[in-house]
Amino acid sequence: MPVSAETSQSSDAAVAAPQRRSADPEATYRLQLGEDLTFADVVDLLDYLVTLGVTDLYLSPILRARIGSFHGYDVVDPTQVSPALGGVEGLRALSDAAAARGIGVIVDIVPNHLAMSDENPLWEQVLAEGVSGPAGSLFDIDWRPRLPTAEGKVILPLLDDTYGVTLTAGELELVRVAGGYRLRYRDRTFPLSRESLDMLDGSGGVRAFAGTAGALTSWQSLHGLLERQHYRLVHWRVGDAVVNYRRFFTVDDLVAVRVEVPEVFERTHAVVLELANDGVISGLRVDHPDGLRDPERYLQQLRNRTGVWIVAEKILHPGERLPAWTVAGTTGYDFCNDVLGLYTDAAAIDELRALDEKLGGGRPYAEHAIEGKRAVLHGGLCADLERVAQRLWNVSQQHPQVRDVTLEWCRRVLAGTLEQFGVYRTYVDPETGTAHETDRTQIATAIERARAADDEPPAVLWDFVEQLLSGEVGTGSNTLDVVARFQQLCGAVTAKGTEDTAFYRYRTLLAINEVGGDPARPGRSVEQFQQHNADRAERWPLAMLTTATHDTKRGEDARLRMAAITEAVPLWGAAVDAWEQQAETSTLPAQSRYLVYQTVVGVWPLDGDPADEHRDRLAAYAVKAEREAGLYTTWTDPDTAFEERLEQFARSVLDAAAAPDEVQPLLDRVAEIAMVAGLGQVVLRTLSPGVPDCYQGTEVWDDALVDPDNRRPVAFDDRRALLDGLADVDVDELLAQRRDGRIKAFVLQRALQSRAQHPGCVGMGSGYLPLEVSGELADHVVAFARVSSDAADALLVVAPRLPGAVMGDEAAPTIGEVWGHTAVRVPGFLQGTYRDVFSVGSGEIGDTIEVSSLLANLPVAVLERTGDADD
């Protein structure tokens, strides 16, 4: 007998305070700390998070970042908890308050880089004392760069004009500060070397090094002093070609740290280790491990030294498996794309590509990916490529068969291979050269494709590079250094070339251009999703599950609205045609207009009335997207006239009064589809194998766009009031008023409650069982059971897939009779009495459940077992 569909909610259905059962998290909540959300402010949110069902805070970086940092990833002092957030005492107070409520504290750490700033004492030490100083080995700096006269110096691409012009204009000057002298350039100052300070004191002070603006010869004394520094200032426009420190991707003021060096690890991790060992923090999220020379050893060491739950921000290409690292798993981008795939109809992509082509696009994603990587290799990462090429050339001279190759050939072979790489990077051991078969396969495939595209370098060099990158040439330090640096560069090239370039150029369907996704392979079948979940249950049962992060390209519900275009292609085509007719006099490229149209679908408010705030956000996003794409404007050379036209156009499209008649039917349709998908997304994230994460504020419908839009402050007072109102709520009311977002918070809270009340079904050792679905709409149902190890307890989970096909032409949720005779088959050992956590109905479950009965009130269901079939 099916579960009865009662709709009234009683007050005892509210979530009780969760009880921590282990050191591992059960459900996390990501908070973006900053001036508006300090440790003390987070203490005030703890009761709210308990009520929501969260077991662990997941905090953005807590170490001291640059003054005014809005994200915390620009750490300037890894030995200090951020004073701006409340310092170590504030953090300890937060941890104590959280522990009193059964909540753990997970923090985000940034081992790959630090910020270049006079606020950074370690960086100041490098600039003042050079390679021989205590910090000389801390940063990844090539102290023997190719730039003449720069040996032993850090090349800083900070000048707004050439060095000669800057010097002659008097913009470089010595200033007296407390305790000595510094070099000043506009609003930045730099330390002076000890030997130059001695010379300065012996020459009469700063006046002896002053000149006359416009007279170059008058600045020779200052020039001579600057030549004695451990750094060299250059024009930022030549920086990409000559910079000699490894950066975080192409960000000039984020410099890589050599955490593979034991003393560097100790120096940069002492605070984190102490906090973990003192029990102040219970988990770590490791930012960008692909930037590290040896991620496996680093993560092993981190685990050995802390013993806490650790997840790594490893971006997996679809089909790629996480290496066997000592972590709980990834931070969840793979899961995000699996869920997105359930709500993207791959069968519609050809039609959308044709429409994109009509508007100036239509090229395959693979072409954009290769061109994006090529662009960054010739631009922002060209100095990094040159360093690896030079090292490869040096190694080749030790091997007779490739001794007579040129540096240019080395450069071309490396660049071609990087362009063709199918994953972010390989993990050949940088100490032993040991390579896994998957690594060798990726290298061989990339080499094969690259050499087919460029036959000028000799075949023997291609073969040699394949062997070297696979760890088969030898274990000499220089050889393995090429392997290690190639792998680090590969991750940066892939990220910048795809995520930050190709994803903004390929516009067939923006929704599928998501971190960790492959736009060339959109969509997921139910079978694929189930298989991926089964793999998580077996290999990574404590990995993080997420559908929104600070790095995702758009908010979790904005993404689903845009994906819903695949289920509303006729309405989409009509709306685009109408918009285009309205824009017939626009001088913007058609591809820019298409970018705006798609994004409008994602951010149009559900109440139907866009405000200036929405228009400002859309305009800012459109400019950022086009700068990232780099086709019509760029970050380095912004076309202000183009950007002004783009902003005006974006604002004009996001206007209810001016919208063509064809737009509103599209918006209504995708909104209804996406709300059903959004509830399915919540249930799947909460009860799939892993640890569900809720990004701040996404308890209700999320219309965020890419960073910094997704870091906007959250109105937690409103969230708290909303949650308080769910204790005695009527489900029919929530469904009728679904656009206000309460229904999403309701489903999230109740799903988290089911996890807390049935830990044996979702924790370590629990089982995951896909459930068979029959009937005409079987392909539109995802059903699975979470089962305790002794099979005594179970949760049954049902969510829709591609709900638009089930809804038909009706703009209503997929509930009740629309499911026809679709049914979920229940194995005998799972049959018994169950309770619906959303409706508080209960009943006997036999060998099948009719979906029309199960989803009579909501388009999702979670059933918790209350008794066996014999009871």
Side-chain angles (χ1 to χ4, degrees):
M1 135 180 192
V3 174
S4 60
E6 301 175 16
T7 61
S8 63
Q9 301 294 307
S10 59
S11 59
D12 61 4
V15 178
Q19 297 298 312
R20 295 300 305 279
R21 293 173 175 82
S22 72
D24 295 320
E26 299 166 20
T28 62
Y29 191 98
R30 162 75 181 205
L31 286 171
Q32 179 60 55
L33 302 174
E35 294 178 354
D36 297 324
L37 192 65
T38 65
F39 298 142
D41 297 323
V42 176
V43 171
D44 294 336
L45 299 179
L46 292 175
D47 290 337
Y48 165 74
L49 296 177
V50 168
T51 304
L52 183 62
V54 171
T55 67
D56 289 76
L57 293 170
Y58 161 29
L59 304 178
S60 62
I62 60 167
L63 300 181
R64 184 183 169 200
R66 280 187 290 210
I67 294 174
S69 173
F70 65 91
H71 50 69
Y73 290 92
D74 47 356
V75 174
V76 295
D77 190 351
T79 69
Q80 187 179 18
V81 175
S82 171
L85 299 178
V88 67
E89 294 306 318
L91 177 61
R92 288 180 180 272
L94 168 59
S95 178
D96 289 343
R101 295 164 172 83
I103 292 180
V105 177
I106 297 163
V107 300
D108 200 339
I109 62 172
V110 191
N112 177 70
H113 60 267
L114 293 172
M116 291 169 44
S117 168
D118 56 12
E119 301 173 56
N120 184 339
L122 297 173
W123 185 247
E124 285 278 290
Q125 199 170 58
V126 165
L127 296 186
E129 302 181 41
V131 65
S132 61
S137 62
L138 193 146
F139 298 101
D140 194 350
I141 299 169
D142 179 5
W143 293 101
R144 301 183 65 183
R146 297 178 67 237
L147 183 65
T149 75
E151 184 168 347
K153 298 178 185 290
V154 184
I155 301 169
L156 303 179
L158 303 176
L159 302 181
D160 287 337
D161 209 326
T162 63
Y163 172 76
V165 169
T166 306
L167 179 68
T168 304
E171 291 189 86
L172 297 172
E173 57 179 336
L174 300 178
V175 293
R176 190 175 184 88
V177 295
Y181 302 92
R182 292 178 70 87
L183 172 69
R184 182 167 65 193
Y185 171 65
R186 297 189 177 176
D187 60 347
R188 303 187 68 158
T189 67
F190 308 89
L192 299 174
S193 65
R194 169 52 55 192
E195 54 269 30
S196 62
L197 285 173
D198 293 340
M199 182 174 64
L200 196 154
D201 284 333
S203 302
V206 298
R207 291 183 179 179
F209 295 88
T212 302
L216 177 59
T217 56
S218 68
W219 297 99
Q220 287 305 306
S221 295
L222 178 60
H223 172 65
L225 184 74
L226 297 183
E227 291 291 271
R228 293 175 177 267
Q229 304 312 311
H230 298 291
Y231 52 87
R232 178 168 165 183
L233 299 174
V234 301
H235 189 195
W236 68 266
R237 285 194 178 275
V238 303
D240 287 339
V242 302
V243 64
N244 65 328
Y245 57 90
R246 191 167 57 84
R247 299 167 291 180
F248 174 67
F249 299 153
T250 58
V251 183
D252 285 337
D253 56 2
L254 294 179
V255 57
V257 176
R258 300 176 63 212
V259 294
E260 67 275 7
V261 178
E263 55 267 31
V264 174
F265 179 91
E266 298 298 333
R267 193 169 185 179
T268 57
H269 285 69
V271 168
V272 171
L273 297 178
E274 179 183 355
L275 293 171
N277 293 328
D278 288 352
V280 177
I281 58 178
S282 55
L284 297 170
R285 181 260 193 194
V286 178
D287 183 69
H288 187 47
D290 276 349
L292 304 179
R293 186 181 183 92
D294 193 346
E296 181 173 4
R297 284 188 178 84
Y298 169 80
L299 293 167
Q300 179 70 65
Q301 184 176 17
L302 195 63
R303 173 66 179 177
N304 291 346
R305 297 290 297 277
T306 64
V308 301
W309 178 84
I310 299 173
V311 287
E313 191 206 19
K314 167 59 190 165
I315 312 300
L316 295 172
H317 193 271
E320 181 186 8
R321 285 196 163 196
L322 182 67
W325 293 340
T326 50
V327 295
T330 73
T331 53
Y333 290 109
D334 46 333
F335 179 80
C336 176
N337 281 282
D338 282 344
V339 173
L340 172 61
L342 290 174
Y343 301 108
T344 303
D345 188 354
I349 296 299
D350 285 344
E351 279 188 86
L352 294 178
R353 185 176 295 115
L355 180 55
D356 182 33
E357 186 174 6
K358 190 167 70 173
L359 293 175
R363 296 175 60 206
Y365 170 73
E367 292 183 11
H368 288 290
I370 290 174
E371 289 182 1
K373 293 178 183 180
R374 185 172 299 153
V376 74
L377 282 167
H378 284 84
L381 292 174
C382 65
D384 299 75
L385 173 63
E386 193 66 28
R387 279 195 292 277
V388 182
Q390 183 70 55
R391 285 167 167 78
L392 172 61
W393 196 34
N394 293 344
V395 169
S396 73
Q397 302 309 297
Q398 307 303 316
H399 297 267
Q401 73 273 28
V402 285
R403 196 168 196 177
D404 291 333
V405 299
T406 66
L407 175 60
E408 172 61 19
W409 283 342
C410 290
R411 187 185 300 112
R412 287 172 63 164
V413 168
L414 290 172
T417 304
L418 289 164
E419 290 170 11
Q420 297 291 342
F421 234 76
V423 294
Y424 272 68
R425 61 165 282 179
T426 51
Y427 300 94
V428 178
D429 192 312
E431 291 189 9
T432 67
T434 303
H436 297 289
E437 184 59 35
T438 53
D439 291 331
R440 287 191 289 267
T441 299
Q442 290 292 345
I443 293 164
T445 300
I447 291 279
E448 180 181 9
R449 293 172 178 170
R451 70 194 302 173
D454 186 0
D455 59 3
E456 181 174 328
V460 66
L461 179 58
W462 287 106
D463 293 340
F464 178 75
V465 171
E466 180 178 344
Q467 293 165 5
L468 186 150
L469 296 180
S470 300
E472 298 170 1
V473 166
T475 58
S477 60
N478 291 336
T479 299
L480 293 179
D481 188 52
V482 174
V483 174
R485 291 186 177 278
F486 174 87
Q487 292 180 138
Q488 289 176 295
L489 176 58
C490 190
V493 169
T494 303
K496 290 300 296 180
T498 58
E499 287 180 33
D500 293 345
T501 304
F503 279 10
Y504 289 94
R505 293 181 178 183
Y506 180 69
R507 296 175 182 176
T508 293
L509 180 66
L510 293 178
I512 59 178
N513 301 353
E514 193 51 86
V515 179
D518 182 0
R521 293 187 288 174
R524 297 284 191 278
S525 67
V526 173
E527 291 73 20
Q528 288 173 322
F529 180 83
Q530 298 278 33
Q531 181 55 54
H532 293 174
N533 258 1
D535 185 62
R536 290 186 188 96
E538 178 182 355
R539 302 182 73 239
W540 307 106
L542 292 175
M544 184 174 279
L545 307 177
T546 188
T547 47
T549 78
H550 57 287
D551 279 333
T552 45
K553 299 302 183 185
R554 47 200 57 84
E556 62 184 32
D557 296 305
R559 183 190 309 122
L560 289 179
R561 290 180 213 164
M562 295 165 72
I565 289 172
T566 63
E567 295 205 77
V569 174
L571 290 175
W572 171 244
V576 170
D577 285 346
W579 269 323
E580 281 292 273
Q581 290 178 14
Q582 197 173 64
E584 61 182 356
T585 61
S586 173
T587 59
L588 281 177
Q591 281 287 284
S592 295
R593 300 196 298 270
Y594 202 44
L595 168 80
V596 171
Y597 298 152
Q598 290 191 56
T599 310
V600 160
V601 170
V603 300
W604 196 287
L606 292 176
D607 64 11
D609 190 14
D612 287 342
E613 180 231 350
H614 299 98
R615 284 182 276 274
D616 291 344
R617 290 172 49 220
L618 175 64
Y621 166 79
V623 170
K624 173 170 180 171
E626 289 292 22
R627 286 184 178 181
E628 295 282 17
L631 296 175
Y632 311 118
T633 187
T634 67
W635 292 106
T636 54
D637 291 296
D639 184 333
T640 55
F642 166 82
E643 291 179 359
E644 288 173 2
R645 295 198 309 274
L646 179 61
E647 289 179 332
Q648 292 172 1
F649 181 78
R651 289 190 173 92
S652 71
V653 175
L654 193 60
D655 185 337
D661 293 341
E662 292 84 353
V663 170
Q664 196 59 53
L666 166 73
L667 296 175
D668 288 340
R669 177 66 171 167
V670 297
E672 292 296 337
I673 293 172
M675 282 187 284
V676 173
L679 298 182
Q681 181 170 252
V682 168
V683 166
L684 294 173
R685 184 183 73 230
T686 306
L687 291 164
S688 288
V691 178
D693 175 59
C694 180
Y695 187 72
Q696 62 175 23
T698 59
E699 304 92 302
V700 297
W701 305 125
D702 174 27
D703 68 349
L705 295 168
V706 76
D707 160 60
D709 190 67
N710 58 19
R711 301 183 199 260
R712 286 171 293 142
V714 177
F716 281 109
D717 286 344
D718 294 343
R719 300 292 193 280
R720 187 181 289 109
L722 182 152
L723 208 60
D724 290 344
L726 296 181
D728 296 291
V729 73
D730 184 86
V731 174
D732 290 338
E733 174 193 339
L734 291 179
L735 195 64
Q737 299 177 13
R738 53 193 173 274
R739 296 195 175 214
D740 65 14
R742 289 183 299 152
I743 192 168
K744 183 182 179 186
F746 168 81
V747 168
L748 174 63
Q749 185 188 47
R750 297 303 189 270
L752 289 174
Q753 177 186 21
S754 69
R755 285 186 64 96
Q757 294 179 346
H758 301 270
C761 296
V762 294
M764 286 290 291
S766 62
Y768 178 84
L769 179 66
L771 298 178
E772 180 184 344
V773 183
S774 62
E776 61 270 33
L777 294 174
D779 287 344
H780 295 272
V781 177
V782 181
F784 56 81
R786 301 303 313 277
V787 188
S788 62
S789 58
D790 60 2
D793 196 13
L795 294 168
L796 307 184
V797 180
V798 177
R801 169 184 176 259
L802 294 178
V806 183
M807 294 162 62
D809 295 330
E810 299 296 323
T814 52
I815 59 175
E817 296 180 358
V818 296
W819 289 101
H821 296 292
T822 306
V824 177
R825 186 176 299 278
V826 181
F829 77 96
L830 290 179
Q831 296 172 21
T833 305
Y834 284 80
R835 171 184 175 273
D836 186 333
V837 305
F838 300 129
S839 71
V840 200
S842 62
E844 193 77 15
I845 295 292
D847 59 355
T848 60
I849 315 173
E850 294 292 330
V851 175
S852 59
S853 176
L854 184 63
L855 305 185
N857 300 101
L858 283 177
V860 292
V862 175
L863 309 180
E864 55 183 6
R865 193 168 193 170
T866 58
D868 295 332
D870 297 332
D871 292 347

